[in-house]
Amino acid sequence: MSWVDRLRARETDFRRAPSAHNTQPWTLDYRADEIVIGTDPARALPGSDPHGRDLALGLGAFTEACLIVAADAGLSVGCDLRDRRRIRLVPAANRYVTPFTAADVAARRVARGAYTSGKVVVESVPGLDAGLVHVPSRALARDLAAADRWLFGTAAPARELREWLRLNPADPRYHQDGLTDRALGLNRFEARVLGGALRAYPMMSRLGGPALLAASGRGLLRYDGSVWVLTAREADPRQAGRRLLRTWLTLARHGLAAHPLSQLIDCPATAARLAGRVGAVPLAVFRVGRPVREPVRSARLAPSAPGSPR
Ligand SMILES: Cc1cc2nc3c(=O)[nH]c(=O)nc-3n(C[C@H](O)[C@H](O)[C@H](O)COP(=O)(O)O)c2cc1C
């Protein structure tokens, strides 16, 4: 069996990589001696990710997951990022050196519920890459409310959110992709309100819906907690995506979880304030802490069957 086939047999493992709105936009072209990772335009988020920042981060995180799973399988695989549009997994002289395993990749998940009180400063977590900045959660509470109002009040991101929400367990896509009511921590009533409000767009926007929807996240940062900002250090944001996954896996090793709050950098006004606060370009921003409850496991598309294009 070639290394390509052996890694392909582990596709379910590296598909646990995170992606914005859980779109899983990666395409995989399994060739004789390389695997080409591209993206599916039908799974892009042009409205909420107009500059492709999240797409690049997601691709980088996916690549890191592939390298970790390959190393775990005893395969010597590296990645070639010279082409801006695709990433190639190629044979390497040595196994990728990483402290993480396929089990770490599989266990990682976003935790959107409550965290126990207490700050987590970057210096208290050993093994992290550079480029992370701590901000006390309360300092961003007002900006999060503003960013949420922007998110729910701006047509294109609101439409994409509606498209990728999976609020009904009877939806055939419920176990495949997108953001489920459970993953978002919504009860049935909240799920109905959110679904109805987004369906009623743009009328709900004129009736003050964005402010009402944004109110539901108002308490999220009003506690003695921490937000971390991953800042740009590399010319290629896909390298930052690799760093993002390593950060989340390192946190998990210490019993800590992450909850991205990308709206803070999607909304132009709050993005500018955050950049000023951290003195760098913010690429990802997430709450960090110890979850009170076990986070939900998100859905994934089935791996591609050998012989079928992806
Ligand atoms: C670049 C990027 C941005 C993300 N932004 C958000 C976000 O703003 N809010 C959120 O709740 N989750 C965000 N996520 C997390 C995804 O929604 C999550 O990875 C996906 O739903 C799969 O869930 P899992 O990571 O728990 O497996 C982001 C993930 C990535 C890679």
Side-chain angles (χ1 to χ4, degrees), residues 143 263-276 282:
D143 267 358
Q263 60 271 49
L264 280 166
I265 40 179
D266 294 338
C267 164
T270 57
R273 281 199 287 275
L274 188 62

Side-chain angles (χ1 to χ4, degrees), residues 19 21 37 45 47 50 54 61 104 116 124 129 155 166 185 189 202 241 274:
S19 60
H21 286 16
I37 304 170
L45 297 168
D54 282 353
D104 292 320
T116 59
S124 68
D129 295 282
R166 307 280 180 261
F189 175 72
L274 188 62

Side-chain angles (χ1 to χ4, degrees), residues 39-266:
T39 54
D40 180 352
R43 293 181 168 269
L45 297 168
S48 41
D49 187 26
H51 307 296
R53 180 201 68 223
D54 282 353
L55 184 64
L57 289 173
L59 263 177
F62 183 71
T63 303
E64 187 71 14
C66 291
L67 295 180
I68 294 169
V69 171
D72 187 287
L75 302 169
S76 296
V77 177
C79 63
D80 178 345
L81 281 80
R82 280 173 300 181
D83 186 335
R84 285 260 158 202
R85 289 157 306 156
R86 53 185 69 88
I87 295 174
R88 294 167 58 232
L89 298 180
V90 291
N94 298 302
R95 221 186 284 175
Y96 179 54
V97 178
T98 172
F100 303 114
T101 64
D104 292 320
V105 172
R108 184 214 56 82
R109 52 189 81 176
V110 165
R112 298 186 179 84
Y115 293 173
T116 59
S117 182
K119 293 201 171 49
V120 183
V121 292
V122 177
E123 297 71 31
S124 68
V125 181
L128 290 165
D129 295 282
L132 293 160
V133 183
H134 176 273
V135 182
S137 57
R138 283 186 204 281
L140 293 175
R142 281 170 73 98
D143 267 358
L144 183 65
D148 278 341
R149 280 196 301 277
W150 173 88
L151 172 67
F152 293 119
T154 311
R159 195 175 50 240
E160 278 171 359
L161 183 60
R162 182 182 63 194
E163 205 175 300
W164 289 97
L165 284 177
R166 307 280 180 261
L167 301 177
N168 181 357
D171 184 335
R173 296 164 304 173
Y174 194 83
H175 300 287
Q176 296 179 351
D177 56 17
L179 300 163
T180 64
D181 49 348
R182 290 183 61 234
L184 295 174
L186 303 174
N187 61 36
R188 274 185 161 265
F189 175 72
E190 291 164 335
R192 275 211 200 111
V193 171
L194 177 61
L198 288 172
R199 267 197 305 279
Y201 210 88
M203 192 182 73
M204 80 85 179
S205 183
R206 288 195 289 273
L207 296 176
L212 279 176
L213 288 175
S216 62
R218 197 177 281 157
L220 204 57
L221 295 181
R222 293 195 197 280
Y223 72 110
D224 187 28
S226 294
V227 171
W228 288 14
V229 183
L230 181 98
T231 59
R233 292 176 77 83
E234 308 89 344
D236 186 340
R238 296 173 300 178
Q239 295 286 18
R242 297 180 60 193
R243 196 153 48 90
L244 179 65
L245 186 71
R246 290 197 296 267
T247 303
W248 289 358
L249 296 178
T250 306
L251 288 170
R253 276 277 167 96
H254 294 88
L256 295 161
H259 173 191
L261 302 166
S262 306
Q263 60 271 49
L264 280 166
I265 40 179
D266 294 338

Side-chain angles (χ1 to χ4, degrees), residues 278-294:
V278 301
V281 177
L283 287 179
V285 47
F286 43 94
R287 203 156 62 92
V288 170
R290 286 180 201 285
V292 172
R293 274 175 298 279
E294 166 98 356

